[in-house]
RNA sequence: GCCGCGGUAGUAUAGCCCGGCCUAGUAUGCGGGCCUGUCGAGCCCGUGACCCGGGUUCAAAUCCCGGCCGCGGCGCCA
């Protein structure tokens, strides 16, 4: 017997009388004695199987051995019945149990009893059979496709840069050391330096790949391992790449709203409306507004989470840019503003209080780069292999990086980045 | 790392303030029984739990201390 001839989504009323084989998991069992109902779940949905005890005593007997979440194939006849969900159901001739699930389950997949996120992450594979969890990842996948399409449309090519690196990319963040054939190496915290070099070859590149941070961060929007969406573009400044970013956000949200109506309905969420162009607030304006709101903040300080929460409330915008950050708050490769060197051609994209993406015009002049490295207390010598290529025609360029998980929080309304990460890695979690 | 709250059957919770009425309640699951249209099926019977260690007390799920773990807020953090 074949595993399957039809998905639940491929069966309809016009197939009455036809024999089909469906496959999936036992989602629910309802035993009324003479009639026994099985709800089979596959990747697209659910379909009901009805066993009549009198007519099919062997199958009625088998029914008792079927445990929830067992993987099965059911061969049977499609039958119209207005009492059935969707108006049709399967009258089985044969039920094959591919894999019997142990009972009881460590987690209720059917949605009757809620579980804490900690329990759900421990039992993640079963958790990912819940329709809410699957909806999250379908939405993320649709968004990613839209992002890729928009970048390809704009002449970007997708690249992969090394994830095992010799030196710290930017100094700041703590890295995970890797034992590398007797040498000291690290997991990349960002593709930053490599993507800049690649903009010097391909002009327009993007990468969607993991990055690692060994920070102490313990919040609902930080992970030790996360997927970063990065672009870098030659002959462009921060205004150009900001425009690309907001268009990508627009496209992704549009695609999700159009293609994921079922999933959004399951999670009962509507992503924010994206009105282009997004508002751009100068860093100094933001500081001023926060000072007026009573915060103890001065020019040069980073803007903390409580401040961002309040700022979002004051301006009443869900999605907005904060631009022209002071150089203290940005990495060494960020281009200073031409008219005022204390500030930079840089931006953060925020959803409410959450930083989704940040980017800038990059410095393409070697001497300036070395000067900025020193000012940041970094040793130019350890960036030798990066800096040498700036001797050979490095074009002006700009780019940004966006955390996929954080973007997914906006797309799904999930409260914790662990929800939208299959197997999150944080300070305490290394398994599963 | 700091602050707050929490840890009770497989899962989710009540009980904790005000120690004894707790042989720890409920839902769901699981086992058994009844039931031929369920769709959160229903009804009956059963099953299964106080995070770890120390202390106070005649008596601790309940109060105190320490640890571990979780969640949230912050910090750290292109």
């Amino acid at each position: 017997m074949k595993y399957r001839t039809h998905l639940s989504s491929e069966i309809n009323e016009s197939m009455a009388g036809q024999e089909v084989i469906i496959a999936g998991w036992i989602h629910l069992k309802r035993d009324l004695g003479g009639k026994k109902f099985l709800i089979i779940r596959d990747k697209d949905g659910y379909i009901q199987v009805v066993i009549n005890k009198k007519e099919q005593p062997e199958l009625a007997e088998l029914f008792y051995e079927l445990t929830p979440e067992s993987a099965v194939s059911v061969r049977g006849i499609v039958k119209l019945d207005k009492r059935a969900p969707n108006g049709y159901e399967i009258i089985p001739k044969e039920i094959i149990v591919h894999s019997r699930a142990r009972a009881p389950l460590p987690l209720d997949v059917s949605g009757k009893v809620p579980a804490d996120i900690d329990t759900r992450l421990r039992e993640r594979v079963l958790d990912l059979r819940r329709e809410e969890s699957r909806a999250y990842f379908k939405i993320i996948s649709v968004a990613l496709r839209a992002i890729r399409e928009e970048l390809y449309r704009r002449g970007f090519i997708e690249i992969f840069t090394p994830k095992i690196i010799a030196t710290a990319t930017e100094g700041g963040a703590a890295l995970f050391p890797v034992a590398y054939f007797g040498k000291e190496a690290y997991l990349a915290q960002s593709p930053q330096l490599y993507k800049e070099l690649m903009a010097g070859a391909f002009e327009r590149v993007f990468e969607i790949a993991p990055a690692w941070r060994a920070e102490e961060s313990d919040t609902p929007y930080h992970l030790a391992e996360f997927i970063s969406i990065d672009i870098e573009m030659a002959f462009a400044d921060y205004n150009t790449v900001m425009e690309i970013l907001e268009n990508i956000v627009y496209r992704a949200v549009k695609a999700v709203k159009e293609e994921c109506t079922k999933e959004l309905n399951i999670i009962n969420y509507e992503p924010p409306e994206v009105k282009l162009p997004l508002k751009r607030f100068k860093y100094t304006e933001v500081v001023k507004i926060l000072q007026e709101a009573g915060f103890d903040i001065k020019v040069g300080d980073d803007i903390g989470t409580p401040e961002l929460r309040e700022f979002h409330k004051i301006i009443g915008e869900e999605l907005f840019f904060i631009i022209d950050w002071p150089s203290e708050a940005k990495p060494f490769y960020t281009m200073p503003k031409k008219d005022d060197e204390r500030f930079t051609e840089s931006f953060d994209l925020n959803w409410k209080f959450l930083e989704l993406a940040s980017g800038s015009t990059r410095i393409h002049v070697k001497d300036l780069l070395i000067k900025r490295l020193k000012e940041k207390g970094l040793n130019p010598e350890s960036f030798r292999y990066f800096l040498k290529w700036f001797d050979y025609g490095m074009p002006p360029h700009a780019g940004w990086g966006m955390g996929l998980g954080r973007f997914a929080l906006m797309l799904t309304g999930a409260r914790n980045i662990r929800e939208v990460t299959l197997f999150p890695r944080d300070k305490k979690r290394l398994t599963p």
Side-chain angles (χ1 to χ4, degrees):
Chain A
M1 179 167 120
K2 284 176 72 172
Y3 290 131
R4 165 193 278 157
T5 60
H6 294 76
L7 285 159
S8 64
S9 55
E10 294 166 333
I11 293 175
N12 57 58
E13 294 183 14
S14 74
M15 294 164 70
Q18 192 177 327
E19 181 174 295
V20 296
I21 303 170
I22 56 165
W25 291 268
I26 307 288
H27 188 69
L28 280 174
K29 291 168 69 178
R30 292 195 194 95
D31 184 3
L32 276 71
K35 280 268 173 79
K36 297 175 198 307
F37 298 89
L38 280 175
I39 309 296
I40 306 294
R41 183 190 71 246
D42 64 20
K43 78 180 188 71
D44 291 341
Y46 306 88
I47 190 158
Q48 176 164 285
V49 174
V50 188
I51 299 167
N52 186 318
K53 192 182 178 184
K54 233 176 226 171
E55 290 164 24
Q56 299 160 299
E58 304 86 3
L59 290 179
E61 213 37 55
L62 177 65
F63 178 90
Y64 292 106
E65 288 168 32
L66 297 173
T67 48
E69 292 309 309
S70 292
V72 297
S73 285
V74 178
R75 181 171 62 85
I77 304 294
V78 178
K79 187 185 166 228
L80 296 189
D81 193 316
K82 59 177 179 295
R83 295 170 298 184
N86 308 321
Y88 53 86
E89 59 198 9
I90 305 292
I91 307 301
K93 288 180 173 169
E94 185 181 6
I95 298 175
I96 306 276
V97 181
H98 300 300
S99 178
R100 187 175 184 274
R102 227 174 74 197
L105 296 167
L107 193 76
D108 172 32
V109 177
S110 71
K112 276 181 242 170
V113 184
D116 294 335
I117 188 161
D118 186 43
T119 306
R120 292 176 35 225
L121 290 174
R122 195 182 67 229
E123 309 297 340
R124 189 53 152 162
V125 178
L126 275 178
D127 179 59
L128 291 168
R129 290 185 188 170
R130 297 170 53 249
E131 57 177 16
E132 291 87 353
S133 292
R134 282 183 297 136
Y136 286 151
F137 291 95
K138 170 77 187 299
I139 288 167
I140 291 167
S141 175
V142 166
L144 272 173
R145 201 186 61 223
I147 290 168
R148 283 199 166 94
E149 280 170 3
E150 180 66 12
L151 286 169
Y152 282 125
R153 200 180 68 78
R154 288 171 178 262
F156 284 75
I157 68 163
E158 184 165 13
I159 60 163
F160 295 97
T161 61
K163 299 304 160 202
I164 303 174
I165 58 169
T167 43
T169 325
E170 300 159 36
L175 306 186
F176 288 107
V178 177
Y180 194 75
F181 304 116
K183 283 184 189 153
E184 187 180 76
Y186 303 95
L187 291 177
Q189 63 160 154
S190 152
Q192 185 60 32
L193 303 184
Y194 285 100
K195 69 172 176 168
E196 284 194 50
L197 298 177
M198 292 306 93
F202 299 101
E203 291 201 31
R204 297 176 193 191
V205 296
F206 77 98
E207 177 169 19
I208 301 176
W212 295 270
R213 305 265 165 101
E215 297 295 341
E216 292 294 303
S217 308
D218 195 3
T219 81
Y221 31 85
H222 285 85
L223 288 175
E225 177 178 79
F226 63 98
I227 303 298
S228 182
I229 303 167
D230 276 273
I231 81 157
E232 203 65 32
M233 181 176 184
F235 305 107
D237 69 3
Y238 74 138
N239 286 310
T240 308
V241 294
M242 252 191 288
E243 192 254 329
I244 291 172
L245 177 56
E246 65 187 353
N247 271 279
I248 274 174
V249 170
Y250 175 84
R251 289 278 174 165
V253 169
K254 186 164 181 265
V256 166
K257 285 186 178 182
E258 284 172 3
E259 297 174 43
C260 300
T261 48
K262 185 176 124 194
E263 285 74 18
L264 289 171
N265 197 37
I266 286 169
I267 60 173
N268 189 26
Y269 181 72
E270 189 62 26
E273 202 185 329
V274 184
K275 279 173 286 187
L276 298 187
L278 297 177
K279 286 230 171 81
R280 282 129 168 95
F281 296 92
K282 283 206 165 122
Y283 167 85
T284 48
E285 281 178 60
V286 178
V287 169
K288 205 177 146 208
I289 289 170
L290 287 169
Q291 283 170 341
E292 282 163 8
F295 283 95
D296 179 22
I297 183 172
K298 58 181 191 304
V299 171
D301 292 349
D302 206 348
I303 302 174
T305 309
E307 287 84 357
L308 283 172
R309 284 180 198 273
E310 186 60 25
F311 182 72
H312 153 245
K313 271 192 212 153
I314 292 169
I315 60 165
E317 294 284 333
E318 274 204 55
L319 269 169
F320 56 92
F321 286 107
I322 298 177
I323 64 167
D324 297 355
W325 290 74
S327 41
E328 301 96 294
K330 288 290 164 186
F332 71 89
Y333 50 78
T334 313
M335 181 69 92
K337 284 192 75 81
K338 289 173 188 70
D339 53 348
D340 189 345
E341 289 216 344
R342 293 174 299 163
F343 298 95
T344 56
E345 296 193 0
S346 58
F347 61 91
D348 279 7
L349 172 65
N350 282 69
W351 174 59
K352 298 179 174 175
F353 62 90
L354 191 61
E355 180 188 326
L356 297 182
S358 75
S360 62
T361 309
R362 324 298 194 184
I363 297 171
H364 64 282
V365 180
K366 191 178 180 180
D367 291 345
L368 181 54
L369 208 45
I370 291 170
K371 179 173 166 254
R372 297 289 295 121
L373 272 169
K374 287 178 181 162
E375 283 169 10
K376 289 274 176 189
L378 297 166
N379 181 6
E381 186 53 29
S382 43
F383 293 86
R384 199 169 76 219
Y385 291 103
F386 171 60
L387 291 170
K388 72 181 270 194
W389 307 105
F390 285 68
D391 286 330
Y392 304 106
M394 180 59 80
H397 58 287
W400 46 255
M402 175 160 73
L404 175 64
R406 291 185 176 191
F407 189 48
L409 292 180
M410 186 194 90
L411 293 172
T412 62
R415 297 258 181 86
N416 191 314
I417 198 160
R418 291 160 184 80
E419 290 275 5
V420 291
T421 306
L422 288 175
F423 296 100
R425 292 291 178 259
D426 59 33
K427 242 177 109 182
K428 296 281 172 56
R429 248 178 288 257
L430 186 55
T431 56

